[in-house]
Amino acid sequence: MIADAYLIILLRSLEIDDEALIQTLVRRIKEKQTSSGTWKIYHDQEEGDLSATVEAYYSLLYSGYVNPEEPKMIAAKQFIIEKGGLSQVSLFTKVMLAFTGQYHWPGNLSLPIELILLPPPIPFNIFDFVGYARVHFVPIMIGANKKFFLKTLRSPNLSELYLAEKSNESTFKLMAWQEKMIENALNQLSDLKNPRELAFQKAEEFLLNRIENDGTLYSYFTATFVMIFALLALGYSKDSKTITKAVNGLKSYACKTDRYTTIQNSPPTIWDTALISYALQEAGVPPSDPMIVKANQYLLAKQHTKYGDWRLHNPRAIPGGWGFSPSNTINPDIDDTTVALRAIQTNAFYDPSYLYAWQKGTIWTLSMQNQDGGWPAFEKNTNKKYTSLLPIKGVESVTIDPSHADLTGRTLEFLGNYAGLNAYHPSVQKGIRWLFFNQERNGSWYGRWGINYIYGTWAAITGLKAVGIPSNHPRIQKAIQWLLSIQKEDGGWGESCISDAKKQYVPLQASTPSQTAWAVDALIAVYNRPTPTIQRGIQCLIDLGKEKDWRTTYPTGAGFPGNFYILYHSYRYIWPLLALSHYRSKFL
C-alpha cells in the first residue's frame, strides 16, 4: 500500500492527470482502511501504523477524490494527532513529506553532499553503505542539501498535523569520532575547486549510471521516487525524458487482480519464477514439461552479465548472479541466484548453455562469502560499524549487508544438495562455523528476509543437514526443540511481524501456510521417519490450503523492520508444496 500512496502523491506533484490509475489506487487504499480510520502494515498490529496512516491520508487528500470530512478520514486525522503528528513518523515518510513541501528537511539528513566525492579507501565514503541504501541516500542527500520541495495548487495543507516536536524527535547529533571522521575526510577535498558543485554533478552521474532500462533506479519504487525529486532539485523539468521514463517505469510496477490494482515496490518476477520452477520440479513435474522449459529459458535469459557495484568489494569475480526483478541487470543477490540455480540444475546435466550458466552462478555465489564465513544478500563485506551508528532509527537494517542465518543456511543447502559440497569444503566449513556462532540462546536463528525466527531456523537447519551435520548434533537438536516448543494447537506455526521490530520471537495468534511449511520442512530434514509433530504439521498445511482469509495473506516477507513487509502471493502455495514434496519423497 505504501507504493500506492506514493504514486498518487508523485503523479499529483508532477501534475500528471492519470485519473483512471489514481482512482483505482484510491479504491485500493480506502479498502485497506480499518473501521477505526487507521491503516496497518500487518494484521495484528495494534491500533494502526502512524506512518502508513499519514501516507494513506495524505495521498487520499491529494487525489481529490476523497472528502476530508468523511467520518473515517476525520478518524484518521485524529489518530495522527493523538500519536504526535508528522514529527513522529518514520524517516522515509518525513523525506516524502519534505520533498512535497509538507515538512522541514529532517536534521538527520544533513550529511554534506561533498561526501560523495570521497573515494572508497576513505572512511565515510558512499560505498561503505550497501547498494540499496546508497540508491536511497544519494537522492535524499541532494534534496536535503538543496532544501528542495515541490508543491502544486492541488497540494493539501497538512499544517494541522505538524505538532510541536516531542523531546525524543531525532536530531542530527553525531558522535565526536564521527564528526572527526567527516572533518578529516572532507579536508582531503581542500584542493578541489568548487567541491560542492562537483559533488552535485557526481551525485547526478551516480543516479543516471544506475537507472535500468525501464527507467527506474535499481528497480526499486522507493529509490526511483526520491530520484525523481532529486533530479527536479538539480534542474530537470517535470516532462524531461528521464523523469517521464522513470514515471512510466513505476506505473509498470502495477499488479492487477480481480478486485484492485496495487503498485509493487520491486516486482518479484525472477524470485517467483525460480521458486515456482524449483517447487514444481521437487513435486515431480519433469524438466521437459513445457511450463518448466519456458520458465527456465526465461531464467537463463535473465542471468546477469554486467558488472555492478558489488564488484567494488568483490573485484575478482565475474558476473553470474540473478536479481529480484525482471528489469534488474546490475544488482544481483544471493537468494535469487541460488534458487535460480536450483531451478536450472537438471538442465545443466544435458545442455551446455545451462551448464555454463550454472557454473558461473555457483562460482559467483561462492565468491560472495563474507570474511566472517556467512553470506550477505547483495554485497560482500559491507559491515562497517560506523555506517550503522548514524543517529537514524533502524539505520543498522538499511545501511549494511551483514551475514544472516537465512542467507547462509539457504546457501549451504544449495551447496550441499545441488553442488555436491560437504563439511570438508573450506567455504562450507566457514559457513557452518558462522551459523554455530550466531545461533540464539534459545536455539533459534534470526532470518533477515523472512518473518523471522521460524524462517531463519528453517534455513539454518536445512542448510546444516545438507552439508552433512548429523541430526543428533547439539546445535540442531536445540533448534528442533525450539521449533517443537512453539507449535500451535492446530499443528501449525505462526510468527508475528512484531518479531522483526523487537528482534525476539513473538507468536502470531494463528498459523500461516509459509511459516508452517518452513517448520515442517526443517523437521522433515532432521527425522528419519514421520513423527506425530510432523503429521500434525502436514495436516495443518492441508487444512490451510482450503482457507482464504487473513492467515493466508499475512505478510511473511521482510523488508525494513517495523515499516515495510512483503506479501508474496505465491508463498501460500510454494512453501507448502515444497514441504509436502519433501515429506513424500522421504517418507512415502
Side-chain angles (χ1 to χ4, degrees):
M1 194 197 70
I2 294 174
D4 299 346
Y6 277 51
L7 187 55
I8 293 173
I9 294 166
L10 177 64
L11 293 175
R12 286 294 186 235
S13 297
L14 297 176
E15 298 178 293
I16 298 173
D17 298 327
D18 191 338
E19 300 310 304
L21 177 57
I22 290 173
Q23 288 178 28
T24 190
L25 293 176
V26 165
R27 288 194 295 271
R28 154 86 164 149
I29 293 170
K30 290 192 70 175
E31 181 184 274
K32 292 296 181 181
Q33 191 175 20
T34 68
S35 59
S36 61
T38 65
W39 281 266
K40 296 182 177 183
I41 56 177
Y42 49 88
H43 178 82
D44 57 323
Q45 188 173 28
E46 189 175 353
E47 296 184 282
D49 185 82
L50 176 59
S51 295
T53 300
V54 167
E55 292 160 349
Y57 178 81
Y58 179 27
S59 69
L60 292 180
L61 289 181
Y62 213 162
S63 77
Y65 290 109
V66 179
N67 186 343
E69 298 306 316
E70 289 183 12
K72 289 175 76 172
M73 289 291 281
I74 294 173
K77 178 181 175 181
Q78 186 60 36
F79 172 79
I80 294 168
I81 291 171
E82 289 174 356
K83 294 300 179 181
L86 303 185
S87 67
Q88 301 304 304
V89 298
S90 71
L91 183 61
F92 195 80
T93 306
K94 290 178 182 176
V95 166
M96 178 273 290
L97 294 170
F99 266 131
T100 56
Q102 302 290 348
Y103 194 82
H104 63 80
W105 273 99
N108 320 52
L109 302 171
S110 61
L111 286 170
I113 191 68
E114 289 83 355
L115 289 175
I116 200 169
L117 297 175
L118 300 176
I122 300 176
F124 250 108
N125 77 86
I126 196 69
F127 288 98
D128 278 346
F129 298 87
V130 68
Y132 59 80
R134 286 195 298 274
V135 294
H136 288 84
F137 282 178
V138 171
I140 290 172
M141 287 171 66
I142 292 172
N145 277 262
K146 286 188 172 287
K147 304 296 182 186
F148 175 82
F149 66 89
L150 176 64
K151 298 186 79 170
T152 72
L153 294 176
R154 302 178 75 164
S155 294
N157 182 358
L158 301 185
S159 59
E160 289 182 286
L161 305 181
Y162 188 81
L163 309 180
E165 296 184 357
K166 295 182 179 180
S167 59
N168 66 348
E169 164 73 353
S170 296
T171 55
F172 193 79
K173 293 182 180 179
L174 289 170
M175 299 179 189
W177 64 268
Q178 290 176 317
E179 291 181 339
K180 190 66 175 177
M181 282 180 70
I182 293 178
E183 180 184 350
N184 291 340
L186 294 180
N187 284 340
Q188 301 191 47
L189 304 176
S190 58
D191 294 336
L192 292 177
K193 185 179 180 180
N194 298 324
R196 191 164 183 82
E197 181 180 341
L198 286 172
F200 282 118
Q201 292 176 5
K202 184 72 174 291
E204 180 183 1
E205 292 172 4
F206 176 93
L207 298 179
L208 296 179
N209 290 338
R210 288 159 181 80
I211 294 176
E212 291 285 10
N213 289 333
D214 65 350
T216 65
L217 180 62
Y218 248 43
S219 301
Y220 293 145
F221 181 99
T222 48
T224 308
F225 178 90
V226 290
M227 177 192 74
I228 290 170
F229 283 95
L231 293 178
L232 292 170
L234 293 173
Y236 283 62
S237 65
K238 292 180 180 179
D239 59 355
S240 70
K241 289 183 178 180
T242 303
I243 289 178
T244 299
K245 189 173 183 181
V247 172
N248 289 334
L250 295 183
K251 287 183 180 180
S252 74
Y253 286 4
C255 177
K256 298 181 180 180
T257 69
D258 293 337
R259 298 180 59 197
Y260 50 74
T261 294
T262 187
I263 307 298
Q264 303 167 96
N265 185 59
S266 189
T269 312
I270 308 299
W271 178 243
D272 282 343
T273 302
L275 272 177
I276 292 169
S277 174
Y278 159 61
L280 289 174
Q281 290 179 77
E282 288 289 282
V285 177
S288 59
D289 186 283
M291 178 171 49
I292 302 298
V293 170
K294 193 172 183 179
N296 288 358
Q297 287 174 344
Y298 175 81
L299 292 174
L300 187 65
K302 290 298 181 179
Q303 186 175 28
H304 286 197
T305 59
K306 296 179 182 178
Y307 287 97
D309 289 342
W310 56 267
R311 189 186 188 188
L312 187 68
H313 303 288
N314 190 11
R316 296 182 180 179
I318 63 172
W322 275 264
F324 186 70
S325 300
S327 63
N328 180 346
T329 64
I330 55 174
N331 186 36
D333 68 271
I334 291 295
D335 237 358
D336 278 282
T337 298
T338 59
V339 76
L341 292 170
R342 289 179 181 90
I344 68 169
Q345 192 205 31
T346 302
N347 302 82
F349 286 132
Y350 58 85
D351 189 324
S353 61
Y354 281 97
L355 176 60
Y356 180 60
W358 192 90
Q359 290 172 334
K360 282 202 308 177
T362 302
I363 292 169
W364 184 83
T365 298
L366 286 168
S367 78
M368 289 293 291
Q369 189 173 24
N370 282 332
Q371 288 179 349
D372 63 11
W375 270 269
F378 297 97
E379 294 183 11
K380 183 177 181 176
N381 297 328
T382 52
N383 198 11
K384 300 286 180 66
K385 186 177 181 180
Y386 77 82
T387 63
S388 62
L389 294 176
L390 293 175
I392 300 172
K393 184 179 179 181
V395 69
E396 69 282 353
S397 298
V398 296
T399 58
I400 59 176
D401 189 16
S403 301
H404 278 300
D406 50 333
L407 297 162
T408 303
R410 296 270 295 151
T411 304
L412 289 181
E413 192 275 338
F414 163 73
L415 294 174
N417 286 338
Y418 296 88
L421 303 186
N422 57 33
Y424 293 102
H425 188 279
S427 294
V428 172
Q429 287 179 358
K430 290 171 63 178
I432 292 170
R433 285 197 296 269
W434 187 91
L435 283 175
F436 283 176
F437 184 77
N438 287 277
Q439 189 175 21
E440 303 286 332
R441 294 185 67 178
N442 64 7
S444 68
W445 279 273
Y446 169 78
R448 168 65 177 87
W449 299 100
I451 306 297
N452 266 114
Y453 291 90
I454 295 175
Y455 185 68
T457 304
W458 158 73
I461 289 173
T462 54
L464 291 170
K465 283 294 299 174
V467 294
I469 302 301
S471 296
N472 62 0
H473 192 284
R475 298 283 183 172
I476 289 181
Q477 282 299 308
K478 191 172 184 179
I480 289 297
Q481 291 306 311
W482 179 78
L483 281 177
L484 296 178
S485 73
I486 62 168
Q487 188 177 25
K488 297 186 177 299
E489 290 186 6
D490 65 358
W493 282 260
E495 181 175 359
S496 173
C497 290
I498 300 171
S499 291
D500 204 27
K502 289 191 173 183
K503 293 296 183 292
Q504 64 181 51
Y505 171 74
V506 177
L508 189 64
Q509 62 264 43
S511 300
T512 69
S514 54
Q515 291 167 331
T516 298
W518 294 332
V520 169
D521 199 43
L523 297 175
I524 291 169
V526 171
Y527 290 103
N528 291 324
R529 59 180 62 87
T531 65
T533 299
I534 293 175
Q535 300 287 47
R536 291 175 59 220
I538 291 293
Q539 186 59 53
C540 182
L541 280 180
I542 294 171
D543 293 340
L544 284 170
K546 303 172 186 175
E547 302 295 334
K548 192 174 183 181
D549 53 29
W550 73 265
R551 295 172 296 172
T552 58
T553 58
Y554 190 83
T556 54
F560 179 43
N563 290 278
F564 177 53
Y565 296 100
I566 305 170
L567 166 61
Y568 292 101
H569 293 82
S570 59
Y571 271 23
R572 62 175 296 202
Y573 307 108
I574 290 172
W575 300 115
L577 178 60
L578 280 167
L580 291 168
S581 300
H582 294 160
Y583 178 92
R584 183 184 66 179
S585 62
K586 187 170 184 177
F587 299 136
L588 299 182

